[in-house]
Amino acid sequence: ALTQAATIAIDLALSNNFTTTMTGNRTMGNPSNAVAGQSGSIFIVQDATGSRTLAWSANWDFAGGVAPTLSTAASSIDRVDYIVQDATNIQAVITLAYS
């Protein structure tokens, strides 16, 4: 589980797959210890309040250069799948609103 903070820290040396429950509006930080070819998933869960937002730091790259908007319903779950291109470029896709 990733620790909630204004900027969420993610250390890719610890795992490939992560989860975080949003308790406020946050920014996903640039990962540390990124290794080319590493891939995994981040499950993003809205808390019981919902409507939490997530901004993405510069190393995250989404299709079209546009960061996704999370599902906002209380307790909703979104999944970000990523692959590390190099230490400062993480390509990612998001799947919204798992039940």
Side-chain angles (χ1 to χ4, degrees), residues 42-97:
I42 305 168
F43 293 89
I44 303 167
V45 181
Q46 290 280 349
D47 65 6
T49 300
S51 298
R52 310 301 187 175
T53 62
L54 184 63
W56 297 84
S57 295
N59 292 3
W60 294 97
D61 185 21
F62 292 90
V66 178
T69 300
L70 297 179
S71 300
T72 57
S75 304
S76 61
I77 302 170
D78 298 332
R79 187 181 83 211
V80 174
D81 297 314
Y82 69 88
I83 186 164
V84 176
Q85 180 180 354
D86 57 48
T88 59
N89 292 288
I90 293 84
Q91 295 180 0
V93 296
I94 190 163
T95 307
L96 301 173

Side-chain angles (χ1 to χ4, degrees), residues 10-59:
I10 181 168
D11 182 349
L12 295 181
L14 300 178
S15 185
N16 291 336
N17 300 306
F18 301 89
T19 187
T20 190
T21 299
M22 304 290 291
T23 57
N25 297 333
R26 307 288 187 229
T27 297
M28 183 65 70
N30 290 322
S32 59
N33 298 305
V35 176
Q38 181 177 0
S39 63
S41 298
I42 305 168
F43 293 89
I44 303 167
V45 181
Q46 290 280 349
D47 65 6
T49 300
S51 298
R52 310 301 187 175
T53 62
L54 184 63
W56 297 84
S57 295
N59 292 3

